[in-house]
Amino acid sequence: MEAEALLSPKPEGLYCPPGGFYIDPVRPVSHALVTHGHSDHARSGHGSVLATRQTLDIMRIRYGDGFCRREEEATFGQAFTINGVSVRFHPAGHVLGSAQIAVEKDGLRIVVSGDYKRSLDPTCEAFEPVACDVFITEATFGLPVFHHPDPEAEIGKLLDSLRMFPERSHLVGAYALGKAQRVIALLRKQGYDEPIHIHGALAKLCDYYQSQGIDLGPLLPATVETSDREDFRGTIIVGPPSSFTDRWARRFSDPLTAFASGWMLIRQRARQRGVELPLVISDHCDWPELTETIKEIRPGEVWVTHGREEVLVRWCELEGIAARPLHLVGYEDEGD
């Protein structure tokens, strides 16, 4: 079987003709397989959704009970057969519940990695390399310039700033799913046991993470309407980046703004956002992790999607690996 006959790009997303399903479709379809809960991959309105229990729960938190007509739960390593096509979910290491999806028929295996990272993260299961004929990889940070530092060292910068400026509120911008919980967990790992204040948009997801056995320590609402701004002196407040342009962010005591993102490696982006303390913490692979992953898996062919596609394709070709860009549209960097 040719690889394109098993999976091919369509306007809705990656489509499996023999199986009759899509993977991470960007439009409503009758049968969707979803890698993780970020909104550019997990959309509402599908007939059925096959995903890990945690991804299904996260979709319900974000979209409500009617996010699809039928839910199907996948556990890691469990084999499914859909119209003669074998499907297995494997950990992706991106966010809680995130999965790679292996699709196999007639001896041909294609692994759709979704979004993934290789660095350790206490808030989700680690990436599992899966042998395959075709590996479909993201390339969000698919340029040689992207070498992300140790995330614990980046959190150390935040704690150092807190010690240097104890009179200031430290506002940390972090995406609501995955990044916010990872930042909090990294702070706890380094011994920060004071209450962390969180924006209301993070509350349900943080509660869910804690229900899944991920200890985020004491969390308090960052509500200034019923508090004095002086109460937030010397505290850490975590909120979605979009909240930093709201009046909410200006109500704290002499706020020092930080932003946790792989894009903070580009100082111009930090300046454009008015970020005083850039924290280079990414939930995606950097360049060395992308290339080392491909070397480790040793697929016969690599398909590259959403990101710096052409550069990673060229690297594969120089390594003697057949590669092509997929040019899928509709995927952003929500979980960067």
Side-chain angles (χ1 to χ4, degrees):
M1 167 175 277
E2 294 292 328
E4 291 80 2
L6 183 56
L7 274 180
S8 58
K10 300 290 183 184
E12 296 85 354
L14 278 172
Y15 180 58
C16 177
F21 58 80
Y22 290 84
I23 297 178
D24 290 350
V26 298
R27 302 176 185 175
V29 299
S30 60
H31 195 173
L33 279 58
V34 175
T35 60
H36 66 282
H38 280 140
S39 59
D40 56 335
H41 292 256
R43 313 213 180 202
S44 62
H46 303 307
S48 70
V49 171
L50 175 63
T52 65
R53 169 45 52 196
Q54 291 164 329
T55 294
L56 292 170
D57 290 345
I58 287 166
M59 291 180 73
R60 184 176 300 101
I61 290 169
R62 302 190 106 184
Y63 297 124
D65 289 335
F67 70 89
C68 71
R69 289 197 294 274
R70 185 175 74 257
E71 299 177 28
E72 301 176 80
E73 179 180 344
T75 58
F76 289 134
Q78 178 185 2
F80 293 85
T81 300
I82 304 173
N83 297 329
V85 177
S86 175
V87 173
R88 290 180 190 265
F89 284 62
H90 302 271
H94 180 54
V95 297
L96 184 63
S98 62
Q100 306 170 80
I101 300 176
V103 180
E104 187 169 359
K105 183 176 174 60
D106 297 340
L108 175 71
R109 180 186 295 161
I110 301 177
V111 169
V112 183
S113 63
D115 290 337
Y116 67 102
K117 69 173 180 291
R118 303 303 303 271
S119 56
L120 288 177
D121 181 349
T123 67
C124 64
E125 290 201 43
F127 177 91
E128 176 187 303
V130 180
C132 57
D133 301 289
V134 178
F135 182 58
I136 302 181
T137 179
E138 58 144 311
T140 302
F141 293 104
L143 290 174
V145 68
F146 288 111
H147 286 242
H148 294 149
D150 178 5
E152 292 191 17
E154 295 299 289
I155 289 295
K157 293 178 183 178
L158 175 59
L159 294 174
D160 287 344
S161 179
L162 199 62
R163 285 188 286 267
M164 290 175 62
F165 305 106
E167 75 285 358
R168 300 186 70 181
S169 304
H170 283 60
L171 273 63
V172 183
Y175 287 102
L177 170 57
K179 185 63 64 62
Q181 295 78 23
R182 187 183 182 198
V183 165
I184 294 168
L186 285 167
L187 283 163
R188 300 309 188 195
K189 185 177 180 182
Q190 295 209 28
Y192 186 79
D193 56 8
E194 296 294 324
I196 294 173
H197 294 78
I198 60 171
H199 188 280
L202 308 183
K204 288 183 179 179
L205 286 168
C206 286
D207 287 346
Y208 181 70
Y209 267 64
Q210 300 230 49
S211 77
Q212 297 299 295
I214 298 164
D215 185 10
L216 301 179
L219 303 177
L220 295 176
T223 51
V224 291
E225 288 80 3
T226 57
S227 306
D228 191 303
R229 69 172 57 198
E230 298 303 308
D231 295 341
F232 296 96
R233 281 183 178 271
T235 64
I236 294 175
I237 302 148
V238 182
S242 59
S243 68
F244 283 26
T245 58
D246 296 341
R247 289 178 57 196
W248 172 85
R250 296 192 293 271
R251 295 175 178 176
F252 296 103
S253 175
D254 190 16
L256 185 154
T257 58
F259 184 25
S261 167
W263 295 112
M264 290 298 96
L265 193 64
I266 302 175
R267 296 308 179 189
Q268 185 178 1
R269 286 210 179 196
R271 289 193 296 270
Q272 288 172 344
R273 285 178 171 266
V275 175
E276 195 169 345
L277 180 61
L279 302 174
V280 185
I281 301 174
S282 177
D283 283 337
H284 297 264
C285 287
D286 63 6
W287 177 261
E289 290 170 330
L290 287 170
T291 56
E292 289 302 317
T293 298
I294 293 169
K295 288 179 180 179
E296 181 180 5
I297 293 172
R298 300 177 62 85
E301 189 173 353
V302 173
W303 297 352
V304 185
T305 183
H306 58 290
R308 307 307 193 268
E309 297 179 348
E310 302 294 347
V311 177
L312 190 56
V313 166
R314 180 58 179 158
W315 177 88
C316 289
E317 292 171 345
L318 292 172
E319 292 290 319
I321 304 169
R324 55 173 283 202
L326 286 184
H327 301 307
L328 294 176
V329 297
Y331 301 100
E332 307 298 335
D333 54 11
E334 181 189 357
D336 71 353

PDB file of all heavy atoms in Angstrom, residues 216-247:
ATOM      1  N   LEU A 216      -0.385  20.520  42.202  1.00  0.00           N
ATOM      2  CA  LEU A 216      -0.026  21.901  41.876  1.00  0.00           C
ATOM      3  C   LEU A 216       0.095  22.770  43.115  1.00  0.00           C
ATOM      4  O   LEU A 216       0.368  23.971  42.997  1.00  0.00           O
ATOM      5  CB  LEU A 216      -1.059  22.497  40.916  1.00  0.00           C
ATOM      6  CG  LEU A 216      -1.245  21.760  39.585  1.00  0.00           C
ATOM      7  CD1 LEU A 216      -2.317  22.452  38.749  1.00  0.00           C
ATOM      8  CD2 LEU A 216       0.056  21.664  38.813  1.00  0.00           C
ATOM      9  N   GLY A 217      -0.086  22.171  44.296  1.00  0.00           N
ATOM     10  CA  GLY A 217       0.039  22.938  45.533  1.00  0.00           C
ATOM     11  C   GLY A 217      -1.115  23.904  45.720  1.00  0.00           C
ATOM     12  O   GLY A 217      -2.107  23.881  44.983  1.00  0.00           O
ATOM     13  N   PRO A 218      -0.992  24.798  46.716  1.00  0.00           N
ATOM     14  CA  PRO A 218      -2.094  25.732  46.998  1.00  0.00           C
ATOM     15  C   PRO A 218      -2.256  26.779  45.901  1.00  0.00           C
ATOM     16  O   PRO A 218      -1.308  27.484  45.546  1.00  0.00           O
ATOM     17  CB  PRO A 218      -1.685  26.378  48.329  1.00  0.00           C
ATOM     18  CG  PRO A 218      -0.194  26.208  48.396  1.00  0.00           C
ATOM     19  CD  PRO A 218       0.118  24.941  47.677  1.00  0.00           C
ATOM     20  N   LEU A 219      -3.478  26.876  45.376  1.00  0.00           N
ATOM     21  CA  LEU A 219      -3.814  27.852  44.350  1.00  0.00           C
ATOM     22  C   LEU A 219      -4.941  28.739  44.858  1.00  0.00           C
ATOM     23  O   LEU A 219      -5.894  28.248  45.470  1.00  0.00           O
ATOM     24  CB  LEU A 219      -4.248  27.158  43.056  1.00  0.00           C
ATOM     25  CG  LEU A 219      -3.259  26.166  42.417  1.00  0.00           C
ATOM     26  CD1 LEU A 219      -3.887  25.510  41.192  1.00  0.00           C
ATOM     27  CD2 LEU A 219      -1.960  26.854  42.048  1.00  0.00           C
ATOM     28  N   LEU A 220      -4.828  30.021  44.601  1.00  0.00           N
ATOM     29  CA  LEU A 220      -5.851  30.973  45.020  1.00  0.00           C
ATOM     30  C   LEU A 220      -6.308  31.790  43.818  1.00  0.00           C
ATOM     31  O   LEU A 220      -5.527  32.031  42.894  1.00  0.00           O
ATOM     32  CB  LEU A 220      -5.296  31.919  46.091  1.00  0.00           C
ATOM     33  CG  LEU A 220      -4.893  31.286  47.432  1.00  0.00           C
ATOM     34  CD1 LEU A 220      -4.261  32.343  48.337  1.00  0.00           C
ATOM     35  CD2 LEU A 220      -6.103  30.664  48.110  1.00  0.00           C
ATOM     36  N   PRO A 221      -7.559  32.235  43.816  1.00  0.00           N
ATOM     37  CA  PRO A 221      -8.023  33.066  42.695  1.00  0.00           C
ATOM     38  C   PRO A 221      -7.357  34.432  42.701  1.00  0.00           C
ATOM     39  O   PRO A 221      -7.178  35.041  43.769  1.00  0.00           O
ATOM     40  CB  PRO A 221      -9.529  33.169  42.934  1.00  0.00           C
ATOM     41  CG  PRO A 221      -9.712  32.912  44.393  1.00  0.00           C
ATOM     42  CD  PRO A 221      -8.627  31.953  44.789  1.00  0.00           C
ATOM     43  N   ALA A 222      -6.984  34.905  41.534  1.00  0.00           N
ATOM     44  CA  ALA A 222      -6.361  36.226  41.413  1.00  0.00           C
ATOM     45  C   ALA A 222      -7.445  37.255  41.146  1.00  0.00           C
ATOM     46  O   ALA A 222      -7.515  37.870  40.087  1.00  0.00           O
ATOM     47  CB  ALA A 222      -5.329  36.222  40.299  1.00  0.00           C
ATOM     48  N   THR A 223      -8.301  37.434  42.123  1.00  0.00           N
ATOM     49  CA  THR A 223      -9.399  38.386  41.995  1.00  0.00           C
ATOM     50  C   THR A 223      -9.076  39.632  42.802  1.00  0.00           C
ATOM     51  O   THR A 223      -8.859  39.547  44.017  1.00  0.00           O
ATOM     52  CB  THR A 223     -10.721  37.775  42.494  1.00  0.00           C
ATOM     53  OG1 THR A 223     -10.517  37.227  43.806  1.00  0.00           O
ATOM     54  CG2 THR A 223     -11.178  36.664  41.564  1.00  0.00           C
ATOM     55  N   VAL A 224      -9.031  40.752  42.115  1.00  0.00           N
ATOM     56  CA  VAL A 224      -8.684  41.994  42.803  1.00  0.00           C
ATOM     57  C   VAL A 224      -9.910  42.774  43.253  1.00  0.00           C
ATOM     58  O   VAL A 224      -9.798  43.713  44.039  1.00  0.00           O
ATOM     59  CB  VAL A 224      -7.806  42.884  41.895  1.00  0.00           C
ATOM     60  CG1 VAL A 224      -6.441  42.260  41.697  1.00  0.00           C
ATOM     61  CG2 VAL A 224      -8.480  43.127  40.567  1.00  0.00           C
ATOM     62  N   GLU A 225     -11.082  42.392  42.758  1.00  0.00           N
ATOM     63  CA  GLU A 225     -12.283  43.124  43.140  1.00  0.00           C
ATOM     64  C   GLU A 225     -12.556  43.022  44.630  1.00  0.00           C
ATOM     65  O   GLU A 225     -13.054  43.961  45.257  1.00  0.00           O
ATOM     66  CB  GLU A 225     -13.496  42.604  42.363  1.00  0.00           C
ATOM     67  CG  GLU A 225     -13.516  42.981  40.890  1.00  0.00           C
ATOM     68  CD  GLU A 225     -12.605  42.080  40.058  1.00  0.00           C
ATOM     69  OE1 GLU A 225     -12.022  41.134  40.638  1.00  0.00           O
ATOM     70  OE2 GLU A 225     -12.487  42.331  38.847  1.00  0.00           O
ATOM     71  N   THR A 226     -12.238  41.869  45.222  1.00  0.00           N
ATOM     72  CA  THR A 226     -12.510  41.658  46.650  1.00  0.00           C
ATOM     73  C   THR A 226     -11.225  41.693  47.472  1.00  0.00           C
ATOM     74  O   THR A 226     -11.224  41.302  48.630  1.00  0.00           O
ATOM     75  CB  THR A 226     -13.214  40.310  46.856  1.00  0.00           C
ATOM     76  OG1 THR A 226     -12.402  39.253  46.304  1.00  0.00           O
ATOM     77  CG2 THR A 226     -14.573  40.306  46.176  1.00  0.00           C
ATOM     78  N   SER A 227     -10.122  42.163  46.884  1.00  0.00           N
ATOM     79  CA  SER A 227      -8.842  42.197  47.589  1.00  0.00           C
ATOM     80  C   SER A 227      -8.191  43.551  47.387  1.00  0.00           C
ATOM     81  O   SER A 227      -8.506  44.305  46.472  1.00  0.00           O
ATOM     82  CB  SER A 227      -7.905  41.103  47.072  1.00  0.00           C
ATOM     83  OG  SER A 227      -8.511  39.840  47.121  1.00  0.00           O
ATOM     84  N   ASP A 228      -7.243  43.847  48.264  1.00  0.00           N
ATOM     85  CA  ASP A 228      -6.411  45.031  48.124  1.00  0.00           C
ATOM     86  C   ASP A 228      -5.218  44.679  47.252  1.00  0.00           C
ATOM     87  O   ASP A 228      -4.632  43.612  47.405  1.00  0.00           O
ATOM     88  CB  ASP A 228      -5.940  45.480  49.513  1.00  0.00           C
ATOM     89  CG  ASP A 228      -5.290  46.858  49.473  1.00  0.00           C
ATOM     90  OD1 ASP A 228      -4.315  47.011  48.702  1.00  0.00           O
ATOM     91  OD2 ASP A 228      -5.731  47.740  50.213  1.00  0.00           O
ATOM     92  N   ARG A 229      -4.861  45.567  46.339  1.00  0.00           N
ATOM     93  CA  ARG A 229      -3.732  45.252  45.464  1.00  0.00           C
ATOM     94  C   ARG A 229      -2.454  45.004  46.252  1.00  0.00           C
ATOM     95  O   ARG A 229      -1.568  44.279  45.799  1.00  0.00           O
ATOM     96  CB  ARG A 229      -3.524  46.361  44.438  1.00  0.00           C
ATOM     97  CG  ARG A 229      -3.017  47.688  44.994  1.00  0.00           C
ATOM     98  CD  ARG A 229      -2.667  48.637  43.867  1.00  0.00           C
ATOM     99  NE  ARG A 229      -3.791  48.873  42.980  1.00  0.00           N
ATOM    100  CZ  ARG A 229      -3.667  49.369  41.762  1.00  0.00           C
ATOM    101  NH1 ARG A 229      -2.461  49.635  41.278  1.00  0.00           N
ATOM    102  NH2 ARG A 229      -4.722  49.588  41.024  1.00  0.00           N
ATOM    103  N   GLU A 230      -2.366  45.560  47.449  1.00  0.00           N
ATOM    104  CA  GLU A 230      -1.172  45.339  48.281  1.00  0.00           C
ATOM    105  C   GLU A 230      -1.081  43.881  48.722  1.00  0.00           C
ATOM    106  O   GLU A 230       0.009  43.401  49.058  1.00  0.00           O
ATOM    107  CB  GLU A 230      -1.201  46.256  49.501  1.00  0.00           C
ATOM    108  CG  GLU A 230      -1.184  47.743  49.165  1.00  0.00           C
ATOM    109  CD  GLU A 230       0.024  48.126  48.334  1.00  0.00           C
ATOM    110  OE1 GLU A 230       1.162  47.785  48.741  1.00  0.00           O
ATOM    111  OE2 GLU A 230      -0.152  48.737  47.261  1.00  0.00           O
ATOM    112  N   ASP A 231      -2.215  43.161  48.710  1.00  0.00           N
ATOM    113  CA  ASP A 231      -2.198  41.743  49.090  1.00  0.00           C
ATOM    114  C   ASP A 231      -1.383  40.903  48.113  1.00  0.00           C
ATOM    115  O   ASP A 231      -0.983  39.777  48.445  1.00  0.00           O
ATOM    116  CB  ASP A 231      -3.622  41.185  49.150  1.00  0.00           C
ATOM    117  CG  ASP A 231      -4.455  41.837  50.252  1.00  0.00           C
ATOM    118  OD1 ASP A 231      -3.855  42.426  51.171  1.00  0.00           O
ATOM    119  OD2 ASP A 231      -5.691  41.745  50.177  1.00  0.00           O
ATOM    120  N   PHE A 232      -1.136  41.430  46.916  1.00  0.00           N
ATOM    121  CA  PHE A 232      -0.438  40.664  45.889  1.00  0.00           C
ATOM    122  C   PHE A 232       1.041  41.023  45.785  1.00  0.00           C
ATOM    123  O   PHE A 232       1.728  40.535  44.897  1.00  0.00           O
ATOM    124  CB  PHE A 232      -1.128  40.856  44.532  1.00  0.00           C
ATOM    125  CG  PHE A 232      -2.530  40.309  44.497  1.00  0.00           C
ATOM    126  CD1 PHE A 232      -3.614  41.150  44.721  1.00  0.00           C
ATOM    127  CD2 PHE A 232      -2.756  38.969  44.268  1.00  0.00           C
ATOM    128  CE1 PHE A 232      -4.909  40.657  44.694  1.00  0.00           C
ATOM    129  CE2 PHE A 232      -4.050  38.463  44.244  1.00  0.00           C
ATOM    130  CZ  PHE A 232      -5.129  39.308  44.457  1.00  0.00           C
ATOM    131  N   ARG A 233       1.522  41.862  46.693  1.00  0.00           N
ATOM    132  CA  ARG A 233       2.962  42.178  46.692  1.00  0.00           C
ATOM    133  C   ARG A 233       3.769  40.904  46.908  1.00  0.00           C
ATOM    134  O   ARG A 233       3.482  40.121  47.803  1.00  0.00           O
ATOM    135  CB  ARG A 233       3.296  43.168  47.808  1.00  0.00           C
ATOM    136  CG  ARG A 233       2.962  44.605  47.509  1.00  0.00           C
ATOM    137  CD  ARG A 233       3.406  45.495  48.666  1.00  0.00           C
ATOM    138  NE  ARG A 233       3.148  46.904  48.391  1.00  0.00           N
ATOM    139  CZ  ARG A 233       4.013  47.702  47.785  1.00  0.00           C
ATOM    140  NH1 ARG A 233       5.186  47.218  47.380  1.00  0.00           N
ATOM    141  NH2 ARG A 233       3.717  48.970  47.567  1.00  0.00           N
ATOM    142  N   GLY A 234       4.788  40.705  46.081  1.00  0.00           N
ATOM    143  CA  GLY A 234       5.671  39.568  46.258  1.00  0.00           C
ATOM    144  C   GLY A 234       5.052  38.227  45.931  1.00  0.00           C
ATOM    145  O   GLY A 234       5.602  37.190  46.309  1.00  0.00           O
ATOM    146  N   THR A 235       3.926  38.223  45.229  1.00  0.00           N
ATOM    147  CA  THR A 235       3.273  36.952  44.880  1.00  0.00           C
ATOM    148  C   THR A 235       3.464  36.642  43.396  1.00  0.00           C
ATOM    149  O   THR A 235       3.820  37.511  42.602  1.00  0.00           O
ATOM    150  CB  THR A 235       1.769  36.989  45.192  1.00  0.00           C
ATOM    151  OG1 THR A 235       1.145  37.973  44.360  1.00  0.00           O
ATOM    152  CG2 THR A 235       1.524  37.321  46.649  1.00  0.00           C
ATOM    153  N   ILE A 236       3.220  35.385  43.050  1.00  0.00           N
ATOM    154  CA  ILE A 236       3.219  34.954  41.655  1.00  0.00           C
ATOM    155  C   ILE A 236       1.783  34.773  41.208  1.00  0.00           C
ATOM    156  O   ILE A 236       0.980  34.113  41.884  1.00  0.00           O
ATOM    157  CB  ILE A 236       4.006  33.642  41.476  1.00  0.00           C
ATOM    158  CG1 ILE A 236       5.497  33.870  41.778  1.00  0.00           C
ATOM    159  CG2 ILE A 236       3.834  33.099  40.063  1.00  0.00           C
ATOM    160  CD1 ILE A 236       6.326  32.609  41.749  1.00  0.00           C
ATOM    161  N   ILE A 237       1.455  35.368  40.080  1.00  0.00           N
ATOM    162  CA  ILE A 237       0.109  35.309  39.520  1.00  0.00           C
ATOM    163  C   ILE A 237       0.236  34.746  38.106  1.00  0.00           C
ATOM    164  O   ILE A 237       1.012  35.263  37.301  1.00  0.00           O
ATOM    165  CB  ILE A 237      -0.533  36.709  39.475  1.00  0.00           C
ATOM    166  CG1 ILE A 237      -0.569  37.314  40.883  1.00  0.00           C
ATOM    167  CG2 ILE A 237      -1.927  36.646  38.865  1.00  0.00           C
ATOM    168  CD1 ILE A 237      -0.440  38.811  40.906  1.00  0.00           C
ATOM    169  N   VAL A 238      -0.498  33.694  37.807  1.00  0.00           N
ATOM    170  CA  VAL A 238      -0.433  33.058  36.498  1.00  0.00           C
ATOM    171  C   VAL A 238      -1.757  33.278  35.772  1.00  0.00           C
ATOM    172  O   VAL A 238      -2.824  33.048  36.348  1.00  0.00           O
ATOM    173  CB  VAL A 238      -0.142  31.544  36.618  1.00  0.00           C
ATOM    174  CG1 VAL A 238      -0.040  30.909  35.224  1.00  0.00           C
ATOM    175  CG2 VAL A 238       1.147  31.301  37.403  1.00  0.00           C
ATOM    176  N   GLY A 239      -1.659  33.717  34.519  1.00  0.00           N
ATOM    177  CA  GLY A 239      -2.868  33.951  33.736  1.00  0.00           C
ATOM    178  C   GLY A 239      -2.607  33.741  32.263  1.00  0.00           C
ATOM    179  O   GLY A 239      -1.447  33.689  31.835  1.00  0.00           O
ATOM    180  N   PRO A 240      -3.653  33.606  31.455  1.00  0.00           N
ATOM    181  CA  PRO A 240      -3.455  33.472  30.005  1.00  0.00           C
ATOM    182  C   PRO A 240      -2.878  34.754  29.435  1.00  0.00           C
ATOM    183  O   PRO A 240      -3.170  35.848  29.928  1.00  0.00           O
ATOM    184  CB  PRO A 240      -4.873  33.209  29.486  1.00  0.00           C
ATOM    185  CG  PRO A 240      -5.776  33.783  30.519  1.00  0.00           C
ATOM    186  CD  PRO A 240      -5.074  33.621  31.839  1.00  0.00           C
ATOM    187  N   PRO A 241      -2.037  34.666  28.406  1.00  0.00           N
ATOM    188  CA  PRO A 241      -1.414  35.873  27.844  1.00  0.00           C
ATOM    189  C   PRO A 241      -2.409  36.951  27.444  1.00  0.00           C
ATOM    190  O   PRO A 241      -2.125  38.145  27.585  1.00  0.00           O
ATOM    191  CB  PRO A 241      -0.650  35.329  26.627  1.00  0.00           C
ATOM    192  CG  PRO A 241      -0.385  33.907  26.947  1.00  0.00           C
ATOM    193  CD  PRO A 241      -1.570  33.430  27.744  1.00  0.00           C
ATOM    194  N   SER A 242      -3.576  36.536  26.967  1.00  0.00           N
ATOM    195  CA  SER A 242      -4.572  37.520  26.531  1.00  0.00           C
ATOM    196  C   SER A 242      -5.039  38.410  27.676  1.00  0.00           C
ATOM    197  O   SER A 242      -5.453  39.556  27.452  1.00  0.00           O
ATOM    198  CB  SER A 242      -5.776  36.812  25.912  1.00  0.00           C
ATOM    199  OG  SER A 242      -6.375  35.929  26.858  1.00  0.00           O
ATOM    200  N   SER A 243      -4.961  37.929  28.897  1.00  0.00           N
ATOM    201  CA  SER A 243      -5.440  38.703  30.052  1.00  0.00           C
ATOM    202  C   SER A 243      -4.525  39.869  30.382  1.00  0.00           C
ATOM    203  O   SER A 243      -4.917  40.778  31.115  1.00  0.00           O
ATOM    204  CB  SER A 243      -5.583  37.790  31.271  1.00  0.00           C
ATOM    205  OG  SER A 243      -4.309  37.348  31.721  1.00  0.00           O
ATOM    206  N   PHE A 244      -3.298  39.876  29.855  1.00  0.00           N
ATOM    207  CA  PHE A 244      -2.344  40.916  30.213  1.00  0.00           C
ATOM    208  C   PHE A 244      -2.649  42.246  29.551  1.00  0.00           C
ATOM    209  O   PHE A 244      -2.070  43.264  29.918  1.00  0.00           O
ATOM    210  CB  PHE A 244      -0.923  40.465  29.859  1.00  0.00           C
ATOM    211  CG  PHE A 244      -0.359  39.480  30.859  1.00  0.00           C
ATOM    212  CD1 PHE A 244      -1.188  38.673  31.610  1.00  0.00           C
ATOM    213  CD2 PHE A 244       1.000  39.367  31.045  1.00  0.00           C
ATOM    214  CE1 PHE A 244      -0.688  37.775  32.531  1.00  0.00           C
ATOM    215  CE2 PHE A 244       1.525  38.466  31.965  1.00  0.00           C
ATOM    216  CZ  PHE A 244       0.677  37.674  32.707  1.00  0.00           C
ATOM    217  N   THR A 245      -3.543  42.246  28.573  1.00  0.00           N
ATOM    218  CA  THR A 245      -3.960  43.503  27.952  1.00  0.00           C
ATOM    219  C   THR A 245      -5.256  44.017  28.576  1.00  0.00           C
ATOM    220  O   THR A 245      -5.732  45.085  28.202  1.00  0.00           O
ATOM    221  CB  THR A 245      -4.164  43.311  26.436  1.00  0.00           C
ATOM    222  OG1 THR A 245      -5.144  42.292  26.209  1.00  0.00           O
ATOM    223  CG2 THR A 245      -2.844  42.893  25.767  1.00  0.00           C
ATOM    224  N   ASP A 246      -5.799  43.280  29.535  1.00  0.00           N
ATOM    225  CA  ASP A 246      -7.039  43.672  30.197  1.00  0.00           C
ATOM    226  C   ASP A 246      -6.758  44.579  31.389  1.00  0.00           C
ATOM    227  O   ASP A 246      -5.633  44.627  31.912  1.00  0.00           O
ATOM    228  CB  ASP A 246      -7.802  42.432  30.688  1.00  0.00           C
ATOM    229  CG  ASP A 246      -8.259  41.542  29.550  1.00  0.00           C
ATOM    230  OD1 ASP A 246      -8.318  42.038  28.407  1.00  0.00           O
ATOM    231  OD2 ASP A 246      -8.545  40.361  29.811  1.00  0.00           O
ATOM    232  N   ARG A 247      -7.803  45.228  31.861  1.00  0.00           N
ATOM    233  CA  ARG A 247      -7.682  46.032  33.080  1.00  0.00           C
ATOM    234  C   ARG A 247      -7.275  45.163  34.257  1.00  0.00           C
ATOM    235  O   ARG A 247      -6.616  45.625  35.187  1.00  0.00           O
ATOM    236  CB  ARG A 247      -9.025  46.708  33.380  1.00  0.00           C
ATOM    237  CG  ARG A 247      -9.389  47.823  32.422  1.00  0.00           C
ATOM    238  CD  ARG A 247     -10.740  48.384  32.763  1.00  0.00           C
ATOM    239  NE  ARG A 247     -10.796  48.877  34.141  1.00  0.00           N
ATOM    240  CZ  ARG A 247     -11.933  49.131  34.787  1.00  0.00           C
ATOM    241  NH1 ARG A 247     -13.095  48.911  34.187  1.00  0.00           N
ATOM    242  NH2 ARG A 247     -11.902  49.575  36.016  1.00  0.00           N
TER     243      ARG A 247
END
